């Protein structure tokens, strides 16, 4: 998706820089939007960090390399997007256990009937006939709850649920 926007940004007068693993769009005020690999964040300074598929990020790499890049910024923020996953030692799993982290979860409730197509629809940001067919083909698979209903393994959202119960 982003590659189709480079020419658009260039036509608007933004400077585009491309190197392997690091593409940059520079605005007229000098601010930048940069895509880069997780292991390419050392020595940077970032206001906002957007991480996609947080389940795949190693927690140690994030805390040692990426998180410190926001230290020099007064309002640094990290926004981490992720689908659910069974892997409990990843970055997103670590953050979901922290009651100081705001987690916004779009998923079927743990107690939901996984065979109920209304649950499938409610757990899907986008739902159509093709998605329903694919879900029905994999409904009996062990990963169905994480991959299709976005349910994290039991207990991973306990810190978030505890915080909500105190509000």
């Amino acid at each position: 998706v982003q590659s189709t926007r480079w020419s658009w940004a260039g036509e608007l007068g933004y400077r585009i820089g491309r190197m392997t693993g690091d593409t940059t769009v520079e605005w007229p005020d000098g601010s930048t939007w940069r895509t880069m690999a997780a292991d390419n964040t050392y020595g940077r300074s970032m206001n906002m960090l957007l991480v996609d598929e947080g389940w795949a990020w190693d927690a140690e790499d994030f805390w040692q390399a990426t998180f410190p890049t926001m230290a020099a910024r007064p309002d640094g923020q990290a926004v981490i997007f992720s689908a659910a996953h069974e892997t409990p030692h990843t970055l997103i799993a670590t953050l979901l256990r922290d009651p100081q982290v705001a987690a916004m979860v779009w998923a079927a409730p743990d107690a939901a009937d996984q065979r109920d197509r209304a649950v499938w629809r409610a757990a899907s940001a986008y739902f159509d006939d093709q998605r329903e067919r694919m879900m029905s083909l994999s409904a009996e698979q062990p990963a169905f709850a994480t991959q299709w209903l976005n349910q994290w393994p039991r207990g991973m959202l306990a810190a978030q649920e505890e915080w909500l119960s105190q509000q």
Side-chain angles (χ1 to χ4, degrees):
V1 172
Q2 68 181 359
S3 63
T4 62
R5 298 296 169 222
W6 300 134
S7 60
W8 170 82
E11 290 169 8
L12 292 176
Y14 299 105
R15 282 192 8 203
I16 310 299
R18 292 184 204 160
M19 297 177 1
T20 303
D22 190 354
T23 305
T24 305
V25 176
E26 184 175 330
W27 274 256
D29 68 359
S31 61
T32 58
W33 182 82
R34 176 172 285 167
T35 61
M36 64 183 73
D39 62 356
N40 193 16
T41 60
Y42 285 97
R44 309 278 185 183
S45 183
M46 300 182 205
N47 280 344
M48 177 173 272
L49 173 69
L50 301 175
V51 173
D52 191 22
E53 297 301 353
W55 68 265
W57 277 56
D58 181 75
E60 188 173 324
D61 286 344
F62 177 78
W63 294 114
Q64 288 186 15
T66 308
F67 189 73
T69 66
M70 297 180 293
R73 304 297 181 134
D75 297 316
Q77 294 182 46
V79 178
I80 302 166
F81 303 93
S82 186
H85 201 273
E86 291 290 329
T87 309
H89 64 275
T90 61
L91 170 63
I92 198 75
T94 303
L95 293 172
L96 287 174
R97 290 185 186 107
D98 186 339
Q100 295 181 17
V101 171
M104 291 162 267
V105 178
W106 185 330
D110 286 343
D113 180 356
Q114 293 184 12
R115 296 167 301 207
D116 184 346
R117 292 176 189 242
V119 170
W120 298 2
R121 183 176 298 277
S124 302
Y126 176 78
F127 195 84
D128 63 2
D129 292 339
Q130 178 179 331
R131 186 171 186 88
E132 184 174 16
R133 278 191 305 277
M134 292 183 73
M135 289 176 81
S136 66
L137 291 171
S138 61
E140 300 302 319
Q141 299 301 314
F144 183 77
T146 54
Q147 295 304 306
W148 293 100
L149 302 181
N150 208 35
Q151 291 177 324
W152 290 91
R154 296 222 189 277
M156 286 188 64
L157 298 176
Q160 306 301 319
E161 291 164 358
E162 180 181 335
W163 181 87
L164 284 171
S165 71
Q166 296 173 8
Q167 299 310 308

